[in-house]
Amino acid sequence: MFEKSTWIRLPRNVLVGHGVLDQTVDAVAELHLTGRPLVVSSPTPRELAGNQVVEGFAANGPDPETALVEEASFAAVQRIVEQAEAADVGFLVGVGGGKVIDITKMAADELGLGFVSVPTAASHDGIVSGRGSVPEGDTRHSVAAEPPLAVVADTEILANSPWRLTTAGCADIISNYTAVKDWELAHRLKNVEYSEYAGALSRMTAEMLVENSDSIKQGLEESSWIVVKALVSSGVAMSIAGSSRPASGAEHLFSHQLDRLAPGTALHGHQVGVGSILTEYLHSGAKGEWRSVRNALASIGAPTTAEELGIDEETVLEALTTAHEIRDRYTILGDGVNEQAAREVARATGVI
């Protein structure tokens, strides 16, 4: 008897393109959300887009509640929860980068309220995924949360964001290439449930950026269009899978360990990009496709070495040899890579 079932939560409205920030209120109106919105932002994104979003809501209904986020933490999530409860808001809108989006998403999930994502930087696929990532001490926690009901990504704003944030977003997508390989490996060896559809979508998204990396250029709004659509696709793949597996494998474990060993040194996307070079070599060896991954990262200006990450070689090796301890998720790292093997891989790929 067939008893399998699934529940896929996806954004209902996704607006991407030039000037779409002006359509935020319209996108939300179609969701039939009620009550006052709580617009959460941080200082710079507030000036870039937050004030405009607030003005739009104020002109079409009750004055929105506003909140500023200074740091990413569970305490910040709780402050947003308490402010939302005190103001009796009906839904939350996150306007900003990954920090703001994740905190707003997690607060909305705890409150059981709708969430709208308005990214001001294309730095990672959290703008549309059902995952939130928050640092705590010397580690980073990735937690499940409801994906946004709507995403409003204005490519004009994204094109003017710091280029390193865009390259981090590109690297995050490119790393899906090895994440899917790890997922397939776990399916074969550990019988982990695998979704052909989610895996194919994630792989296609990564391959699209690898093949078109030469066209991703600083200051080009068309580049922001390509990157944000890829980020949306990646987030959708995770929603279909019901997990982060399509976009998170050994390269993410490597990045999480770097967060512990060298917190705040490099961007998440850049770390997983370098991790993907290393883990692709582990998957397919010297004749494999690690060079395509490295060359795509280099083409867009993302780091490909420990030096470019700003992290010393020994820390990179320590992260690679201990990353399997981060969480119970089977990857190409298995039960660990010894130091000699890690050094050989890092040298062969030019990471050190």
Side-chain angles (χ1 to χ4, degrees):
M1 180 178 177
F2 184 79
E3 297 181 346
K4 185 176 180 179
S5 65
T6 187
W7 188 341
I8 300 174
R9 295 177 172 89
L10 299 172
R12 285 167 55 187
N13 284 335
V14 177
L15 278 73
V16 179
H18 180 84
V20 298
L21 187 68
D22 290 337
Q23 301 176 54
T24 302
V25 174
D26 294 335
V28 172
E30 289 192 1
L31 301 174
H32 305 293
L33 295 172
T34 59
R36 299 173 64 198
L38 170 57
V39 180
V40 183
S41 193
S42 56
T44 299
R46 178 179 61 179
E47 298 300 321
L48 291 173
N51 289 337
Q52 186 174 337
V53 170
V54 169
E55 291 168 3
F57 280 118
N60 290 272
D63 285 342
E65 181 79 2
T66 62
L68 276 181
V69 170
E70 298 287 352
E71 83 289 338
S73 66
F74 285 106
V77 174
Q78 195 56 42
R79 284 195 295 271
I80 298 302
V81 168
E82 292 171 358
Q83 184 173 348
E85 290 176 331
D88 193 26
V89 302
F91 59 96
L92 283 72
V93 182
V95 183
K99 172 178 65 179
V100 168
I101 298 295
D102 279 353
I103 287 173
T104 311
K105 179 193 306 179
M106 292 166 67
D109 187 72
E110 184 171 336
L111 291 160
L113 296 177
F115 161 61
V116 176
S117 172
V118 184
T120 57
S123 54
H124 65 70
D125 54 20
I127 64 175
V128 69
S129 74
R131 306 292 302 183
S133 181
V134 174
E136 184 177 47
D138 62 351
T139 189
R140 178 174 287 273
H141 295 275
S142 179
V143 299
E146 290 290 327
L149 293 173
V151 181
V152 181
D154 193 312
T155 51
E156 183 179 18
I157 292 172
L158 298 176
N160 289 320
S161 67
W163 180 241
R164 69 188 190 96
L165 298 180
T166 302
T167 62
C170 290
D172 199 15
I173 292 299
I174 290 170
S175 78
N176 287 12
Y177 192 73
T178 48
V180 173
K181 287 192 173 186
D182 277 326
W183 193 15
E184 291 172 329
L185 184 67
H187 175 62
R188 292 195 303 270
L189 300 185
K190 300 295 182 179
N191 201 32
V192 169
E193 187 173 357
Y194 179 76
S195 166
E196 292 283 355
Y197 184 19
L201 178 58
S202 182
R203 184 188 303 107
M204 178 189 67
T205 304
E207 290 174 348
M208 180 185 72
L209 276 191
V210 169
E211 293 169 2
N212 294 284
S213 58
D214 289 344
S215 66
I216 308 297
K217 302 295 183 184
Q218 184 172 2
L220 285 181
E221 195 168 340
E222 293 87 346
S223 295
S224 295
W225 170 269
I226 294 170
V227 175
V228 77
K229 287 184 71 177
L231 293 171
V232 168
S233 293
S234 182
V236 167
M238 284 187 274
S239 292
I240 292 170
S243 81
S244 61
R245 271 289 193 179
S248 178
E251 74 295 324
H252 273 64
L253 300 182
F254 170 78
S255 175
H256 293 327
Q257 194 67 320
L258 286 179
D259 288 337
R260 291 181 172 184
L261 299 170
T265 303
L267 293 172
H268 165 78
H270 290 160
Q271 291 179 170
V272 298
V274 171
S276 197
I277 297 172
L278 297 168
T279 54
E280 173 55 34
Y281 187 94
L282 290 173
H283 271 289
S284 52
K287 295 182 179 180
E289 299 176 341
W290 65 269
R291 289 183 180 84
S292 295
V293 174
R294 182 194 61 186
N295 293 344
L297 293 169
S299 178
I300 61 175
T304 61
T305 67
E307 182 179 7
E308 290 171 350
L309 282 177
I311 298 175
D312 66 82
E313 296 180 358
E314 294 306 314
T315 299
V316 166
L317 293 176
E318 184 179 353
L320 187 57
T321 56
T322 60
H324 66 287
E325 301 171 357
I326 289 288
R327 63 181 300 185
D328 185 21
R329 170 167 287 186
Y330 192 81
T331 71
I332 192 63
L333 299 178
D335 61 358
V337 179
N338 69 35
E339 184 178 348
Q340 181 180 352
R343 193 176 297 275
E344 288 176 2
V345 169
R347 284 177 173 168
T349 55
V351 170
I352 65 172

